[in-house]
Each structure stands twice: as C-alpha cells, then as structure tokens.
C-alpha cells in the first residue's frame, strides 16, 4: 500500500514524462476531494499509456468512463470601466462607468475516466485518479480521442457515452450504438433532450388515464 | 440484423466457403441468456469464430430518471439495477452520496450494512451457481436447492425491510429501520446452519465428472486481459488477481473482520464456479463475526437531511464490492437538490467486454456455460 | 474411479429427497392458496390512508400537504386540496384532500411516502392479492378505496401502530394542555384588564369570549425535514 501523488504532483510527473502534454488540474470542492486532470486531445493517449505503465503508478484499472453534458451558460457581471466621456467644454473627461457584461460560456461534452491500480492498490483517500477530456462544443465538434487502445474496459463504456451523449471517440475499434437501437437518432442523456412528441406510448389507453391521475412528470 | 445483411452481401458477391459459416442470433428470448440478451454468433461448424453481445432491450435510462429526482428518490430505483442484490446496490449509492456530502455513518448502521450485504452476496452466489449448473444441463435440482436457501435469506430481508427483493433499506447516513434482537438471533441461527448447506452443495457436484468435462479449460480468461478489460469481482479473482474492494478500499467496517480472498489459478469456468462456493464460505465467516460484534447505538446520523439534501457543488465516486464485481456510482452535484450527473458503473456490463475473447474457438454449447459463469443481470447491464 | 462423483451427487439428491419428508429446513414451500405463510409485520405492498374513528371522510388524517406527492419517485400520487378546512385530532383546522388517487400500476412500493409524511396519515398495506379484471381504472385507487381505519392498521402492523398511537395521544394531550393554558392565560389577562380599568369591564366580555372558542394551536409535531 502506497500513497498516490497529489493531483499537482501527478500533473508535474505527466508533463515531465510526456513532452508537450498540457494538463490542467480541476479542483473538486466537495468533501470527497477527488480532483481531476484535464488532458489535451493530442497527448491524451500518450498520457494514458504513461499512467498505465509508470512503475510507481501502474493505473491498470480504468473503472469508469462516462459522458457529462454541460450546457451553455451565461454569466452576467457588473464591472467598472474607465471611459472617456465628452465633457461640457468639449474636452473628454475620464469617468468610471458601470457596465454589465454578459459572457457566454459555450457548453461542452466531457468524457470522464476513473483510474485505479490493481497492482499497487494505493491508499484509498487519494484514489481515484480522474481524467477528463472535453469536446470543443456540443454541436459539431464532439470528438475526443478514444482510450480503448490503452484500457480495454473503456470499450463498452465509450460506446455508451457515444450512444447517450454523442461524444465521438476517435480511434475506437467498434463505435456503434449500444443501448439504443440502431436507427435512433438523438442522444437521450443530454440535458436538453426532448422525447419525441409522437410517443407510441401516448396512444395506449392507460396514458391518458395516467395523465389524469398523476401530475405531469417534473 | 447486421449479420444477416452481411451474409446476404457475401452471398450476392458470390464468395466461396459460405457453407461453412453460419450466423446464429442467440437470444434475446433464449432460456440460457439470463434475460433479454442477444449474441450475434458466427459459427464455423460448431466453433465460434465471432461473437458480439447485443443488449439494451431492458434499457429504461435509469440515469436520466435519477437526474430528474431528488437524491432520496434514486434509492428505490437502484434496487432495480441488479434486482437480485438490492442491498448492495443501495449501499453503493448511499456510499457515493456520503462521500459527496461528507455524511458520517454510525457504527451500528455499518455493521447491519455488512450483515445484509454478505447475506445478499451469499444468496446471489447460491443462485448463480444454481443457474450455471442449470445451463450445463443439471436441470432444476441444484437450482432448487440453492433457491431453498435463498428463500430463507429473502425471508430475513422481508422481516427487516418489508420487501424481499426491492428492499430500499439504506439511507445516506445510515439505515431506514433498526433490526430487532430477534432478527439478529434469526440471522445467527441461519448462519450456523448454512455451512452444512454449502458442504452438501459442494458434495453434490464438486467431483462430478460431467461437470469437470464441461467446465475445466473452458472459457479461459488470462490474467492480463482480465485486468486490462476492467473485469472485477469473482471473475477477476478466478483469474488469479488479488483484488477485492472490501480489502483495498476499507469501506464500511470490513477492516475489522477476519476473512480471506479466494483466488483461482486457471481462470476457467470451473474456477469461477468454485470461486463462488469459496466466497460463500467467506461471507459466512464475516456474518458470524458481524452478528457477534454488533454494537448498540443509533442507526442513522441525526443531522442527515434525507429530504431536500443539497450537497456542495462537486463530484464523488463511491464503489463497493458487489457480488458481481465493482459497483460504483459517480455523482456530480451542482449545489441543488437534484443530482447534475448520476452514473452507475455496472459490473456485469463491463464483465461482458471479454465475452467474445473467452468464447472464441469453443463450441456453441460452451458459450452458454461461459455466459452463465460471467454472472450477468440484465437489469444492470441495460439500466 | 470414474463416475464416483456422479454417485456421490446422487447420494446427496437422495438425502434431500427423503429429508424433505421429515426435515422442515429441507421443505420450505407451502401449498398456496390453501396454506399460507405468516407475513412478517414489516411487509409492505401498497400505501393506504389512515382515518381515526368510524367515519372515513371525517377522520381522515391526511391534511393534503402534498409532500408525498412531491417526493414519490414514480409520481404515482395525485392530490387535490380542499377549499375549506376541518379540525384535525388536536383541534387545529386543516385542509383535507378533496381527491387522493394512487395509481398502483405505477407505484413501486418504496415506502418513501410513508417516511416523509409528517402527519402519520399514509401507511403501507400488506394486501398482495390485488388482481383485477379492469386493467386501467381498476388499478387506480381513489380515496374511498384507500381509506382504512386505525384498527386495521393496528391489526396489520401492531408494533408500529402502538408507537404511532402513543405518540399521537401524547401530542393531543400536549395540545389540550396548551390550549387550556392559553385559555387560562387569556382569561386571567381579561380579568386583570377588567380589574385595572373601569372601562375594561366591557372588554372583559370579549376576552372571555375568545377563551371559550377552541384555540388554534400549532400542531405539536412539526413537519419533519427528513
């Protein structure tokens, strides 16, 4: 049983071990304190290999792969800006003006990987190592590199993330829908998913009864 | 039906050797698939040359349902994941919430959790071994013996939680109701009688020549592949990897009990079968100690808010050693009463990743046995 | 010897077969429906509504707070609040459910409604033979079908019901004592007012008047947050 390096140390190790890799530590404020590492697409497979084969880390078990959907968010903040306002005499006067600035943060899809080591069995508090990969947006640039070549356990779970979130894993050997049927088009786990209106269930007699008897689903 | 389309394409292309290749769609309504599960199998004679598992027939988007309700409302839904082991499913989920919100658990609750989880493991393994033997053609007899003992455990669950299978028993910070001394006495009595059952059950088939011929050397899962494919639970340990989350994560009060982790040597179906029998014995050991040592005290942390729980924004991954493998729950909170992301790590789905590797080169009749030894429950695979 | 294992297994089978005639542990099944297992007290199937006294309408404990409706995971409860109020067991005026429906075809018997109810108004039944020839309306339980008496509750869950009754008796007593104390206090206040100011005599009458009407008391048991 050995302790695992902290997220910051891991970042340093990765950056030393994989030249060019950009790693960002994403802190986690909850009591679990499971911080995660955001990887860049280009070096992600190399970083994954590094983590798997490093003699002290040996993160050989990629236990959980999941998609997460982050919608577009808009933040409004009031900021004070210095502006030159035309003065009464013609000359500009510098004045502090309060402005509301709206920043639109585009949403993205995220693939999250949880790693453990079967060989080293690190002490639990620092576990697991969490890796994150983010897509550029939610609409057309939804590609991330697949880590299935590194950990076979990602195979079905990446397929599931593709099926339910629409994250495309480049380099996955067999990227097909897994839970939904082949002809299905939408991605049901996305936050803005709307079930089709012509739900075949609605035509069944109990659907109308249910609607009368219970409130509409939240 | 991609297989059929492929075959048609090849027939139209006038390829040779088509007479040797046969596409078989096993399932979804096949008695050996343990539920609505399908395997697209390509056979050359009777040998399997390709096998693709197809599932999702029982998909109900469990995760989406949980992301629409409060933290409390997800507990009864977790019962329905692996519907044979609602107690361990509850535990995995409440453990993740406890990590996410930093909720302590009283000692008595931890002991009762261990008791119900080990009873659950016992009945799961007994049932699985019964099903596995049924798949091999030992029609009914072992399965009924296993179910007879399982029945006694389900009766205990019913008198404790009110339901036999959908227990909905655990809560974050503890448990829903306390157990009575009379219930503990019943557990003690049952546990003292169960080793006899395991002995009998082992004697029934351990030395059976037909069983050995059907299982030994069949469906071998090499150690390295098992690790790389994220296989967990008895499947992994049958391949000789010493990894039991009860020992590794020290969750609950498992540290206080003296028990051993059985390990296999060959990673074949016979090892996986024996692994379940040995784990049943270890579970009984834990149960005897837990029933003996259980302390008094409250069963739920008094400060826990069950209704309207609002964990701080953040995320947590909690996992336990469920009877089928590593059962994990990943939760992301955005500070509201509804989880922002709720994800289950289903052990039986991930254990299916290597089904093809285990089946290649074996006869189609062995596929049934190999699948039986994986121990899947479709409620969990499809969610 | 080849076949030894098979013979050993057959010996086990024989032991189980003959054992099932004498050993109760080897034969756990009963001939349902002629014979029945005794259900454990904790058994739960579907929810029902409790009422006190003889009249299911007047004695219904539900105050239509709709907490269970909100918390129900499969959303199978539908409640419509009444327009008027009626007194509850401590004498406080409360709403009552004009409509209370449970769709048992959706209900998953999870007992969360029972746990969250602060008024001891909803409990789990142990009836399981509920098959009906009407697939839809037959499984939608309305208020008359749901209302069951406290005696029934005592019969099916004796321990739990005893605890519940004791707690409610205590609450009612406390509420009564509180009401009496408040009445006494306001009477004393009125008397004092009448004594100190000559003009207060006229007010005294109204003061006594207030005291004699049933005083609205906060319910002894606050809605529990758990």
């Amino acid at each position: 049983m050995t302790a695992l390096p902290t997220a910051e140390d891991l970042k340093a190790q990765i950056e030393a071990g994989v030249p060019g890799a950009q790693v960002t530590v994403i802190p986690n404020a909850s009591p679990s304190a499971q911080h995660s590492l955001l990887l860049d697409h280009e070096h992600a497979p190399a970083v994954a290999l590094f983590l798997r084969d490093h003699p002290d880390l040996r993160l050989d078990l990629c236990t959980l792969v999941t998609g997460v959907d982050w919608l577009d968010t808009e933040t409004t903040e009031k900021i004070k800006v210095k502006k030159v306002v035309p003065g009464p005499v013609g000359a500009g006067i510098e004045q502090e003006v309060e402005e509301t600035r709206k920043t639109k943060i585009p949403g993205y899809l995220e693939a999250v990987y949880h790693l453990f080591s079967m060989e080293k069995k690190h002490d639990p508090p620092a576990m697991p190592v969490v890796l994150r990969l983010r897509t550029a947006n939610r609409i057309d640039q939804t590609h991330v590199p697949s880590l299935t070549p590194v950990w076979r356990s990602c195979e079905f779970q990446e397929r599931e993330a593709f099926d339910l979130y629409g994250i495309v894993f480049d380099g996955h050997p067999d990227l097909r829908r897994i839970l939904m049927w082949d002809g299905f088009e939408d991605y049901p786990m996305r936050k803005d998913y709307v079930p089709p209106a012509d739900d075949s269930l609605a035509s069944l007699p109990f659907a109308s009864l249910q609607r009368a008897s219970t409130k509409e689903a939240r | 039906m991609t297989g059929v389309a492929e075959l048609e394409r090849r027939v139209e292309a006038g390829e040779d050797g088509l007479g040797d290749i046969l596409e078989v769609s096993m399932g979804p309504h096949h008695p050996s698939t343990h539920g609505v599960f399908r395997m697209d199998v390509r056979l050359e004679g009777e040998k399997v040359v390709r096998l693709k598992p197809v599932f999702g027939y029982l998909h109900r988007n469990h995760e989406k349902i949980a992301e629409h309700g409060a933290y409390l409302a997800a507990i009864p839904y977790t019962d329905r994941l692996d519907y044979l082991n609602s107690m361990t499913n509850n535990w995995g989920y409440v453990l993740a919430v406890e990590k996410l919100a930093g909720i302590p658990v009283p000692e008595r609750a931890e002991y009762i959790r261990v008791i119900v989880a080990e009873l659950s493991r016992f009945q799961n393994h007994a049932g699985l071994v019964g099903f596995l033997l049924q798949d091999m053609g030992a029609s009914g007899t072992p399965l009924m013996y296993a179910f007879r003992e399982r029945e006694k455990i389900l009766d205990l669950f019913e008198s404790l939680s009110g339901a036999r299978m959908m227990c909905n028993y655990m809560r974050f910070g503890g448990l829903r109701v306390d157990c009575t001394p009379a219930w503990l006495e019943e557990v003690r009595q049952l546990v003292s009688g169960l080793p006899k059952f395991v002995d009998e059950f082992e004697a029934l088939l351990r030395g059976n020549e037909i069983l050995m011929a059907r299982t030994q050397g069949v469906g071998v899962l090499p150690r390295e592949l098992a690790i790389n494919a994220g296989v967990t639970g008895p499947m992994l340990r049958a391949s000789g990897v010493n990894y039991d989350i009860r020992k590794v994560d020290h969750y609950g009060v498992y540290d206080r009990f003296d028990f051993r982790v059985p390990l296999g040597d060959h990673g074949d179906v016979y090892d996986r079968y024996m692994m379940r029998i040995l784990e049943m014995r270890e579970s009984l050991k834990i149960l005897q100690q837990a029933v003996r040592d259980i302390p008094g005290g409250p069963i739920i942390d008094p400060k826990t808010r069950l209704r309207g729980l609002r964990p701080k924004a953040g995320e947590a991954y909690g996992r336990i050693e469920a009877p089928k493998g590593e059962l994990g729950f990943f939760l992301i909170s955005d500070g509201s009463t509804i989880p922002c992301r709720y994800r289950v790590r289903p052990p039986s789905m991930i254990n299916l990743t290597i089904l093809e590797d285990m089946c290649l080169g074996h006869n189609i009749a062995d596929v049934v046995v190999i699948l039986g030894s994986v121990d899947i429950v479709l409620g969990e695979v499809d969610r | 010897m080849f076949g030894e294992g098979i013979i050993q297994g057959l010996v086990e089978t024989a032991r189980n077969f003959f054992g099932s005639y004498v050993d109760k542990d080897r034969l756990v099944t009963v001939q349902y429906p002629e014979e029945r297992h005794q259900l454990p007290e904790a058994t739960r199937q579907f929810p029902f509504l409790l009422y006190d006294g003889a009249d299911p309408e007047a004695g219904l404990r539900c105050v239509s707070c709709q907490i269970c409706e909100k918390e129900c995971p499969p959303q199978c409860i539908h409640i419509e609040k009444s327009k008027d109020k009626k007194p509850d067991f401590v004498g406080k005026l409360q709403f009552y459910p004009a409509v209370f429906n449970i769709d048992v075809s959706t209900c998953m018997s999870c007992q969360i409604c029972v746990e969250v109810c602060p008024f001891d108004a909803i409990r789990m039944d142990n009836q399981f033979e509920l098959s009906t020839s009407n697939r839809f309306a037959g499984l939608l339980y309305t208020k008359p079908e749901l209302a069951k008496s406290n005696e029934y509750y005592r019969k099916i869950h004796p321990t739990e019901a005893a605890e519940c009754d004791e707690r409610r008796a205590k609450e009612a007593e406390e509420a009564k004592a509180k009401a009496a104390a408040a009445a006494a206090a306001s009477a004393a206040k009125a008397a004092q007012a009448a004594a100190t100011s000559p003009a207060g005599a006229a007010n005294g009458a109204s003061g006594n008047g207030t005291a004699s009407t049933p005083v609205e008391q906060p319910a002894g048991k606050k809605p529990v947050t758990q």
Side-chain angles (χ1 to χ4, degrees), chain A residues 149-162:
Chain A
V150 183
W151 293 289
R152 187 71 197 281
S153 53
C154 304
E155 184 181 335
F156 280 6
Q157 300 193 74
E158 283 185 350
R159 267 177 76 183
E160 197 184 323
F162 164 73

Side-chain angles (χ1 to χ4, degrees), chain A residues 84-95:
Chain A
V84 180
V85 187
V89 224
I93 304 169
E94 207 179 43
Q95 212 179 345

Side-chain angles (χ1 to χ4, degrees), chain C residues 125-194:
Chain C
D125 207 340
N126 64 3
Q127 288 299 311
F128 56 90
E129 290 152 317
L130 302 168
S131 59
T132 153
S133 55
N134 186 347
R135 187 171 154 202
F136 303 111
L139 291 171
L140 182 70
Y141 287 10
T142 53
K143 210 164 57 164
E145 289 156 314
L146 288 170
K148 303 248 166 92
S149 68
N150 200 21
E151 280 68 48
Y152 177 76
Y153 178 38
R154 275 189 215 128
K155 210 176 81 199
I156 60 169
H157 301 301
T159 325
E160 207 186 287
E163 266 170 42
C164 176
D165 283 349
E166 198 183 322
R167 194 174 61 236
R168 285 173 71 86
K170 215 166 134 195
E171 272 166 37
E173 219 162 79
E174 272 169 21
K176 221 171 158 185
K178 245 183 179 172
S186 64
K189 211 172 167 188
Q192 203 182 15

Side-chain angles (χ1 to χ4, degrees), chain A residues 124-193:
Chain A
M127 299 303 286
V129 173
V130 188
L131 303 183
R132 302 182 105 92
L133 292 169
R134 284 180 185 168
T135 63
N137 62 27
R138 303 176 64 245
I139 308 141
D140 48 356
Q141 294 168 15
T142 54
H143 289 250
V144 295
S146 167
L147 300 187
T148 305
V150 183
W151 293 289
R152 187 71 197 281
S153 53
C154 304
E155 184 181 335
F156 280 6
Q157 300 193 74
E158 283 185 350
R159 267 177 76 183
E160 197 184 323
F162 164 73
D163 187 1
L164 303 180
Y165 281 96
I167 305 171
V168 182
F169 292 91
D170 296 326
H172 190 286
D174 185 22
L175 200 62
R176 288 178 291 139
R177 286 199 174 268
I178 186 165
L179 293 173
M180 307 303 285
W181 55 99
D182 284 338
F184 191 79
E185 269 170 12
D186 214 340
Y187 303 111
M189 278 302 285
R190 288 201 184 185
K191 292 275 176 200
D192 52 1
Y193 171 76

Side-chain angles (χ1 to χ4, degrees), chain B residues 22-83:
Chain B
L22 184 69
E23 290 262 358
V24 180
S25 173
M26 279 182 82
H29 299 285
H30 191 281
S32 75
T33 54
H34 297 218
V36 275
F37 176 72
R38 186 158 71 93
M39 288 172 282
D40 266 343
V41 192
R42 190 170 295 169
L43 298 171
E44 194 176 346
E46 257 195 88
K47 290 256 181 303
V48 177
V49 292
R50 198 197 76 155
L51 184 145
K52 292 285 170 207
V54 181
F55 43 88
Y57 297 96
L58 212 60
H59 181 53
R60 55 208 181 268
N61 224 337
H62 172 83
E63 293 171 8
K64 191 91 176 174
I65 296 172
E67 285 173 22
H68 275 76
Y71 283 90
L72 177 64
I75 297 178
Y77 283 111
T78 61
D79 289 345
R80 285 139 178 95
L81 280 171
D82 171 1
Y83 40 75

Side-chain angles (χ1 to χ4, degrees), chain A residues 205-206 209-210 213-214 218, chain C residues 70 75-76 78 103 106 136 140:
Chain A
F206 68 83
L209 182 93
Q210 218 166 15
S213 69
T214 65
R218 272 172 285 186
Chain C
K70 258 181 245 133
Q75 298 279 297
C76 70
H78 173 64
D103 186 352
T106 316
F136 303 111
L140 182 70

Side-chain angles (χ1 to χ4, degrees), chain A:
Chain A
M1 292 288 231
T2 43
L4 197 76
T6 60
E8 293 293 338
D9 290 344
L10 260 182
K11 171 183 150 81
Q13 276 192 31
I14 292 170
E15 281 171 349
V18 185
Q22 288 160 5
V23 183
T24 323
V25 175
I26 302 193
N28 178 0
S30 95
S32 73
Q34 296 169 348
H35 309 296
S36 46
L37 303 168
L38 179 67
L39 307 182
D40 61 320
H41 289 190
E42 197 188 326
H43 296 94
V47 171
L49 261 178
F50 171 79
L51 291 174
R52 192 189 71 180
D53 296 336
H54 190 284
D56 291 341
L57 301 171
R58 294 289 292 145
L59 298 166
D60 45 13
L61 170 65
C62 178
T63 187
L64 179 95
V65 183
T66 178
V68 186
D69 183 14
W70 298 100
L71 289 173
D72 301 346
T73 43
E74 208 177 58
T75 52
T76 42
E77 49 177 349
K78 286 195 172 157
I79 40 159
K80 286 187 176 158
V81 269
K82 283 197 172 145
K83 260 193 181 169
V84 180
V85 187
V89 224
I93 304 169
E94 207 179 43
Q95 212 179 345
E96 243 179 45
V97 181
E98 201 166 80
E99 260 188 9
T100 11
R101 185 188 287 175
K102 279 191 180 169
T103 350
K104 200 175 169 196
I105 304 163
Y108 50 86
L109 300 166
E110 201 173 38
V112 185
Y113 296 79
H114 284 68
L115 312 179
F116 288 88
S117 173
M118 277 190 190
E119 193 185 305
K120 292 282 172 192
K121 301 193 182 65
H122 298 110
D123 280 339
M127 299 303 286
V129 173
V130 188
L131 303 183
R132 302 182 105 92
L133 292 169
R134 284 180 185 168
T135 63
N137 62 27
R138 303 176 64 245
I139 308 141
D140 48 356
Q141 294 168 15
T142 54
H143 289 250
V144 295
S146 167
L147 300 187
T148 305
V150 183
W151 293 289
R152 187 71 197 281
S153 53
C154 304
E155 184 181 335
F156 280 6
Q157 300 193 74
E158 283 185 350
R159 267 177 76 183
E160 197 184 323
F162 164 73
D163 187 1
L164 303 180
Y165 281 96
I167 305 171
V168 182
F169 292 91
D170 296 326
H172 190 286
D174 185 22
L175 200 62
R176 288 178 291 139
R177 286 199 174 268
I178 186 165
L179 293 173
M180 307 303 285
W181 55 99
D182 284 338
F184 191 79
E185 269 170 12
D186 214 340
Y187 303 111
M189 278 302 285
R190 288 201 184 185
K191 292 275 176 200
D192 52 1
Y193 171 76
V194 186
D198 59 335
D199 195 343
S200 57
L201 280 176
S203 58
L204 291 173
F206 68 83
S208 58
L209 182 93
Q210 218 166 15
R211 216 149 280 155
S213 69
T214 65
K215 275 202 170 167
E216 290 277 298
R218 272 172 285 186

